[in-house]
Amino acid sequence: MINSIIQNFLKVRNNFKLICEPLEIEDYQVQTIYDVSPPKWHLAHTTWFFEEFILDRFIPNYKRFHPKYAYQFNSYYNHIGDRIQKDLRGMISRPTLNEVYKYRDYVDEQVNSLTKFIKEEELIEIAKLLLIGINHEQQHQELCLYDIKHIFYTNPLKPIYQNTEMRKQSTIEPIFIDLEAGLIEVGYDNKTDFAFDNEYPKHKVYLNPYRIQNRLITNHEYLEFVNDGAYDNFEIWLSDGWDFIKSNDIKTPMYWENIDGVWQEWTFSGYQNLDLNKPVGHISFFEADAFAKWKNKRLLTEFEWEYAHRRLEHSNEEGFFSEELDNFKVLTKKNDKNKIYQMNGYYWEWTSSPYGAYPGYKQAKGAIGEYNGKFMSSQMVLRGGSYASQKAHMRPSYRNFFQSDKRWLFNGIRLGDDI
Amino acid sequence: MINSIIQNFLKVRNNFKLICEPLEIEDYQVQTIYDVSPPKWHLAHTTWFFEEFILDRFIPNYKRFHPKYAYQFNSYYNHIGDRIQKDLRGMISRPTLNEVYKYRDYVDEQVNSLTKFIKEEELIEIAKLLLIGINHEQQHQELCLYDIKHIFYTNPLKPIYQNTEMRKQSTIEPIFIDLEAGLIEVGYDNKTDFAFDNEYPKHKVYLNPYRIQNRLITNHEYLEFVNDGAYDNFEIWLSDGWDFIKSNDIKTPMYWENIDGVWQEWTFSGYQNLDLNKPVGHISFFEADAFAKWKNKRLLTEFEWEYAHRRLEHSNEEGFFSEELDNFKVLTKKNDKNKIYQMNGYYWEWTSSPYGAYPGYKQAKGAIGEYNGKFMSSQMVLRGGSYASQKAHMRPSYRNFFQSDKRWLFNGIRLGDDI
Amino acid sequence: MINSIIQNFLKVRNNFKLICEPLEIEDYQVQTIYDVSPPKWHLAHTTWFFEEFILDRFIPNYKRFHPKYAYQFNSYYNHIGDRIQKDLRGMISRPTLNEVYKYRDYVDEQVNSLTKFIKEEELIEIAKLLLIGINHEQQHQELCLYDIKHIFYTNPLKPIYQNTEMRKQSTIEPIFIDLEAGLIEVGYDNKTDFAFDNEYPKHKVYLNPYRIQNRLITNHEYLEFVNDGAYDNFEIWLSDGWDFIKSNDIKTPMYWENIDGVWQEWTFSGYQNLDLNKPVGHISFFEADAFAKWKNKRLLTEFEWEYAHRRLEHSNEEGFFSEELDNFKVLTKKNDKNKIYQMNGYYWEWTSSPYGAYPGYKQAKGAIGEYNGKFMSSQMVLRGGSYASQKAHMRPSYRNFFQSDKRWLFNGIRLGDDI
Amino acid sequence: MINSIIQNFLKVRNNFKLICEPLEIEDYQVQTIYDVSPPKWHLAHTTWFFEEFILDRFIPNYKRFHPKYAYQFNSYYNHIGDRIQKDLRGMISRPTLNEVYKYRDYVDEQVNSLTKFIKEEELIEIAKLLLIGINHEQQHQELCLYDIKHIFYTNPLKPIYQNTEMRKQSTIEPIFIDLEAGLIEVGYDNKTDFAFDNEYPKHKVYLNPYRIQNRLITNHEYLEFVNDGAYDNFEIWLSDGWDFIKSNDIKTPMYWENIDGVWQEWTFSGYQNLDLNKPVGHISFFEADAFAKWKNKRLLTEFEWEYAHRRLEHSNEEGFFSEELDNFKVLTKKNDKNKIYQMNGYYWEWTSSPYGAYPGYKQAKGAIGEYNGKFMSSQMVLRGGSYASQKAHMRPSYRNFFQSDKRWLFNGIRLGDDI
């Protein structure tokens, strides 16, 4: 088993290089807003994770690549110690990108040779830590895509990440599908190799009967919302949301721009005319919630979402992940009203569930326990992945979480309703 | 019925005068921090509420006391229109206190004569609005007590609100009581005259078996937490909580002060030696959560709390509300291990539940709909009331809610645990 | 001599009561912006000054009125010790106004009986300190008028300080008067009883030939400036000034408001139609400087101003001080082109001179040395007094100083030019 | 003449490459604090200056290298139009460094071929603009050295700009030299090819007799100041200065650090033991002023400085500029008490003179007029150059100016006194 994990490790590690191929050295260096980290930092931080949690603990007399990298590339682990402030990541010009790639090679080699060193009794723990490290790297590769999109967007020269012709999305008729729920079970179901601790323990939840919409909200629908003056109608906004859009002068999704009367959207291929059939993205929880109120609907709870994901038949065309970054999936035939669409990939779907611990949740001891547990306040759960997520990284119980005002990530809207 | 409501109205209105008796004119004027409103503002705002939502709508040709008071004393109702910024409330010296009391008298008289004007078919709506207005006034009387405590605390002369000798609290042995829950019902049960819309609809929730501690956490226990270095131990803190205590240099509950080696607590009777048997108060959600983690326990969900409140036998001595502000209730005999203590009054108990809508919740149309619904984000639910609450204002389904960093209100800790 | 000083002391002290007569207790309490202090604070602080610097030092076993008032009413004297932060002055409701007036009476009595205690050899120092204290009180009475104007302005009810009918100002033809300067002397000339240390030592300055305008800039001229789009024309603004007006959205003098198409000005008698012949007031240094550039003129240096004040013949009508607060002086006859107008009172005139020490200036030792010297950076000198100044407080060498962005004080513009 | 200017242009332009040789691509990209600009930006901005003010105006049908560079590389010229915010310069990864160097080559070539295009009657204006452009570039090369020092300092890896062995500075006995001044002349004296408009017009100033110290304040003297508790002694500080050091927790010059009990200084060659005989650097005006007060001395006015520079005999060893960056000049023989030392280069000397216009100063029309005039507020004049200045760029009338709190530039202290 450990060998297949290491094979997967090498594949995932290599994927980061592919993601970064279109970048110039200067692009790796910048932190355009607080949320963004420089790609160079992502490359080094994910590497440090393996060094800190595995190599340094399990290889006898392990020699770290550089004694100060733990300080520079620790993100938020208090157990590990001091580190540079998050908002200064873009200020740190050394190590150079070249040195960071050497660091990656060094650590990859060490992990590749791990089996020579480890003892039988450590195998399971190491396997578990490797899986965490791989999933951690996948998360950062996704974050790095968010960040690259923003870095290019911020630049007045509007550079292009990839030059792909966008295919048009065809229409999916919107339908609400009814679900009779009752007492159900949610949480990690042991059907995948790995799950984060925040998906444990599996537990019972009572759901009232509810409805879920068969697809995400489109740019077309969201444009109606904009054109209806929704951003100036306080009635549909949470109080915090109203403050947020007014004090930040927000009037559309993050990457929309009306250029000479034509609505355009910033993409990895530069500005593109807004495809009205595509799902809307880059909206805050506050906007998602307001949109739902405007429609006289509501967002789903994370448990309604999870139950529907398991219970309903998914469309064939379903699934749009970073592996298919070059374009959105295209629906070739009329949509099937019994199936649910776009539950996997596309855009993370804001739920109405604040991020918290499942009943019986126990935080792991030590640094690894800081991974999820300490963030269980003031954030909302998102479900389903995005076109920057990796397919292999996802499962129905996966919980993503962000503050309600975040818009640089790839997030969208699916509606629910009471029956 | 309307007559008995109006009798109650007059009684509650008069209570505000009693609360304010110890104040000087200058005390009514100040806003010491953003959360605090000047007592003069509370007196006027609660009055405006009746004028705006009842008198102006139901009395033909009603003449408002002053045309600009709607601007000055509207709190957050966007439907009503512009208003002065919350943080400027302390800047507004006119109307004088004297004029505000005249305003109160005028509105009280008008309400008292309401029955002369109203039509049969309006009776129910008016009764409902009067009940909201009375409960609204009770909430502000409670807030005003929080604010008075802070206003006096801020003053270097440390003035005293009331000069009462404090009786000592006797010990209650801490016991965890087990509850076998399963599928239960929560929400307003129709047993009181009134409930806020956020307590509707009654609905089913599934609870795992759990435990609840029979009393609140004491100053003694919290002092152990402080002395154990808990405020410097990142392991037990939420990430936001750690940032909060570090950036605000928080090391104890809000009103504690170590004066010449003796721990004292700021009270309505000035600084008093910390009574170690009394419940700890004035702590943020972050501190409550960290305390629970330090004890290897957890906070209760609001539903666990509500179920326990209904299910368990309460102590006779139970209940410490603003009606008994002069002292904490004293336990005269050994405590009974089957009963639960301090569930009513004392300090609001932080739960682990973020404030949100109950399944099927519908926000009322118009200004009155702004009362609760628009605050359903970024706040945590508290249950049980405080010694600044009014007994008649409380019920088991009552949901209070505040941001996780608030400490000026009267909040404390009760622990729960998994079985 | 000491007796006449004490007589003057009593007269000046009494004047503060007269200034405050139109206020309600609530008005004394508020601090509407950082620059403003509550009138109650001014009343107490000026009283503390006499207690701290004279009574406590020269009366044997002097008993302070209250042991904590030094903490509450010290403004900025580090030598005296800790004090409440300036921006919290409005938060402090006790002592009440009533107690502050008792404090004033107590200190007045003590000063009045000073002669019984003091020794021959202390007489000169005490006389000097009394003079400083009196002048200090006069400065605060002026500041208090600025603050009252702002406190009333901030209030949505727009209360009125005094109900006086405003007489119209007649026209003064604007003329530039030439001065052949050369090597001149500036600084305190020993012709008045008292001068602040920042007016010492008298010293030589070389002036190029220059021109001074015979009167202040009028509302009419400033309105032309506004209407010419000056607030949107970066060419005439200092870089800091441009940032200041843009980030604060400033488009007119502070108290102007266009109400239904009519320009009005906030005054002690409420909003009044803008009198176009009156001098413009409430403008920052940045606006004064931009106005001068717009006119292809410049501001005067403080030495050009002082020399002109001494050298030129003043108009009979000259002088508008707080003693005549009820109205602006009216010019009854045609103006005399050899005389200079409005050099005394009306509005403080911004000069182009940054506030600094005169050659040979030595700061006094101890707390009294903090009076002026430590503020000699980042401020600009203003000359001539305002209609909130007291006539007896002024002299040609008097230097006022404020930061370039201040507008709540009573400041205006006089132009100069090169020959 | 134009040809020799162009030769000088090419030499100065080439110098920037030499300055940047030790940098990695990543170093060119970062903006560590607001004051710092990325070296890449400096390289492009100075290039744009020639394109904007000369090439685009005087070469018929001039083709700009890139249409958007005016937006990206304009610094503060409102006449030219919109530009990216100063604090975002580090966010802009494109154009790459490589492209910026191509931009430089393109513009250098165009300037080199200028003589082919220009008409006789334009010669003088172009020569003048070229001289401004060259001097502008020299200023930015100096700023870039400040910035590089800070960029390397910010990096936890503490990279080294150049690896030079530091020679020790020998002692210069401190002597105050008396000057009988009277009515003197200051300002540009026409003895160099070029001066900035803020050095005009030459004009008369009256100086009292004064003293000037023969050398800069040393690290040794400043260390005594530090060890004497000066940073905790409010008596010697300006009020703004006290606020500045307290709110920024400043206790030593910027680049000092006590490492294991040894005082070290951050230099272009990394941390070095503090050379006690070298002049102290990286102190704010506030610290310079406080140091002078602590010594019972004062800073010089800019006119006292200029007069002394012209009037006194300079030491042979005098002059330490960026051309000799590898080390401080060493004094080989006993110092001569009639001569003045370190008036040129070493560290910019804070004067007590706020930056303002000379009598009769007229700001040029158009964008070029924004160069100096609009900054004539809230800054202090510094004189004499630094070891990051270029010798050929300096003259006695040169006025540098910065805000009183700036410490990242190369500034030091020379004392003066009254006689």
Side-chain angles (χ1 to χ4, degrees), chain C residues 106-305:
Chain C
Y106 177 79
V107 163
D108 287 356
E109 245 170 73
Q110 298 287 325
V111 170
N112 205 6
S113 66
L114 247 186
T115 46
K116 287 186 291 192
F117 297 103
I118 52 180
K119 300 171 203 142
E120 192 64 27
E121 66 270 26
E122 295 169 345
L123 249 177
I124 285 173
E125 192 181 355
I126 290 175
K128 205 179 122 189
L129 288 167
L130 274 173
L131 284 171
I132 294 181
I134 291 165
N135 278 274
H136 173 257
E137 174 117 10
Q138 288 171 318
Q139 289 183 321
H140 276 278
Q141 290 177 13
E142 171 156 2
L143 287 167
C144 194
L145 281 165
Y146 303 165
D147 296 351
I148 291 169
K149 187 168 179 180
H150 196 268
I151 289 166
F152 281 31
Y153 170 71
T154 302
N155 197 302
L157 301 181
K158 301 291 175 204
I160 279 170
Y161 176 74
Q162 61 182 14
N163 219 328
T164 324
E165 204 195 333
M166 294 283 174
R167 280 173 295 166
K168 303 281 276 183
Q169 172 80 21
S170 33
T171 314
I172 306 173
E173 286 305 316
I175 294 164
F176 277 90
I177 305 173
D178 290 5
L179 282 136
E180 286 291 340
L183 200 59
I184 60 147
E185 277 198 326
V186 295
Y188 177 51
D189 55 10
N190 291 306
K191 288 187 181 156
T192 53
D193 288 345
F194 174 82
F196 284 111
D197 63 351
N198 61 14
E199 302 168 50
Y200 295 102
K202 191 158 75 167
H203 64 287
K204 291 204 185 71
V205 165
Y206 182 80
L207 300 183
N208 282 332
Y210 69 103
R211 291 178 167 158
I212 182 170
Q213 200 164 24
N214 65 333
R215 61 149 171 79
L216 298 180
I217 293 302
T218 62
N219 284 325
H220 178 72
E221 289 165 299
Y222 205 86
L223 190 55
E224 288 181 325
F225 174 72
V226 170
N227 289 337
D228 192 43
Y231 283 89
D232 288 317
N233 173 14
F234 61 80
E235 290 200 41
I236 55 176
W237 294 87
L238 287 164
S239 182
D240 290 341
W242 184 249
D243 290 351
F244 169 68
I245 61 166
K246 287 304 157 190
S247 60
N248 292 284
D249 199 25
I250 289 173
K251 297 170 175 172
T252 67
M254 186 178 201
Y255 287 125
W256 283 22
E257 190 158 329
N258 195 309
I259 302 173
D260 302 327
V262 180
W263 282 105
Q264 306 213 14
E265 185 180 16
W266 178 252
T267 75
F268 284 118
S269 305
Y271 275 115
Q272 302 284 336
N273 286 347
L274 200 63
D275 181 340
L276 296 177
N277 286 330
K278 279 187 183 157
V280 67
H282 296 291
I283 46 117
S284 61
F285 168 78
F286 295 126
E287 290 161 289
D289 182 80
F291 181 88
K293 290 220 181 79
W294 177 75
K295 278 281 198 189
N296 279 312
K297 297 289 182 290
R298 60 173 176 85
L299 300 179
L300 296 155
T301 69
E302 61 168 322
F303 304 125
E304 290 171 337
W305 188 96

Side-chain angles (χ1 to χ4, degrees), chain C residues 328-343:
Chain C
F328 269 90
K329 268 282 153 57
V330 173
L331 188 73
T332 47
K333 41 188 183 206
K334 215 169 155 312
N335 68 302
D336 182 336
K337 69 179 182 157
N338 297 315
K339 291 181 181 164
I340 191 145
Y341 290 77
Q342 300 171 333
M343 287 289 268

Side-chain angles (χ1 to χ4, degrees), chain A residues 32-50:
Chain A
T32 44
I33 48 172
Y34 181 83
D35 293 319
V36 164
S37 293
K40 187 177 78 178
W41 185 89
H42 285 295
L43 288 166
H45 164 69
T46 50
T47 305
W48 163 83
F49 193 94
F50 289 104

Side-chain angles (χ1 to χ4, degrees), chain A residues 110-158:
Chain A
Q110 298 287 325
V111 169
N112 205 6
S113 66
L114 247 187
T115 47
K116 287 187 290 191
F117 298 102
I118 52 180
K119 303 173 200 140
E120 192 65 27
E121 64 269 28
E122 294 168 345
L123 248 178
I124 285 173
E125 191 180 355
I126 289 174
K128 204 179 123 190
L129 287 168
L130 274 173
L131 284 172
I132 294 181
I134 291 165
N135 278 273
H136 173 256
E137 174 119 8
Q138 288 171 318
Q139 289 183 322
H140 276 278
Q141 290 177 13
E142 171 157 1
L143 287 168
C144 193
L145 281 165
Y146 303 166
D147 297 349
I148 291 168
K149 187 168 179 180
H150 196 268
I151 289 166
F152 280 30
Y153 170 70
T154 302
N155 197 302
L157 301 180
K158 300 291 175 206

Side-chain angles (χ1 to χ4, degrees), chain A residues 59-78:
Chain A
I59 296 185
N61 304 315
Y62 175 73
K63 192 177 169 316
R64 284 177 187 256
F65 184 76
H66 194 291
K68 284 205 177 164
Y69 282 10
Y71 177 82
Q72 287 198 212
F73 300 121
N74 176 3
S75 53
Y76 55 66
Y77 296 89
N78 291 310

Side-chain angles (χ1 to χ4, degrees), chain A residues 142 145-146 149 166-172 214-219 265 268 275 277-283 305 309 314-333 335 340-350 382-391 394 400 407-414:
Chain A
E142 171 157 1
L145 281 165
Y146 303 166
K149 187 168 179 180
M166 294 282 174
R167 279 172 296 167
K168 303 282 277 184
Q169 171 80 20
S170 32
T171 312
I172 307 173
N214 64 334
R215 61 149 172 78
L216 298 179
I217 294 303
T218 62
N219 285 325
E265 186 180 15
F268 284 120
D275 181 340
N277 286 331
K278 279 188 183 157
V280 66
H282 297 291
I283 46 117
W305 189 96
H309 190 282
H314 292 239
S315 147
N316 290 338
E317 289 82 5
E318 236 264 301
F320 179 70
F321 289 104
S322 68
E323 289 88 341
E324 305 126 47
L325 235 191
D326 52 328
N327 207 344
F328 268 90
K329 268 281 154 56
V330 173
L331 188 73
T332 47
K333 41 188 181 202
N335 68 299
I340 191 144
Y341 290 77
Q342 300 170 334
M343 287 289 267
N344 303 302
Y346 297 91
Y347 286 107
W348 287 100
E349 306 176 19
W350 283 112
L382 302 104
R383 294 294 197 114
S386 80
Y387 69 92
S389 312
Q390 290 166 42
K391 204 172 213 159
M394 298 306 302
N400 199 354
R407 313 165 88 228
W408 107 112
L409 70 140
F410 295 4
N411 42 18
I413 315 171
R414 182 185 303 272

Side-chain angles (χ1 to χ4, degrees), chain B residues 3 92 94 130 161 168 180 197 212 226 247-248 256 258 270 329 335 350-351 359 361 378 380 386 391 393 408 412:
Chain B
N3 286 322
I92 306 304
R94 311 288 182 94
L130 273 173
Y161 176 74
K168 303 281 277 183
E180 286 291 341
D197 64 351
I212 183 170
V226 170
S247 60
N248 291 284
W256 284 21
N258 195 308
K329 265 285 156 48
N335 67 300
W350 283 112
T351 72
Y361 171 76
S378 315
M380 301 304 287
S386 79
K391 205 172 213 160
H393 180 63
W408 107 113

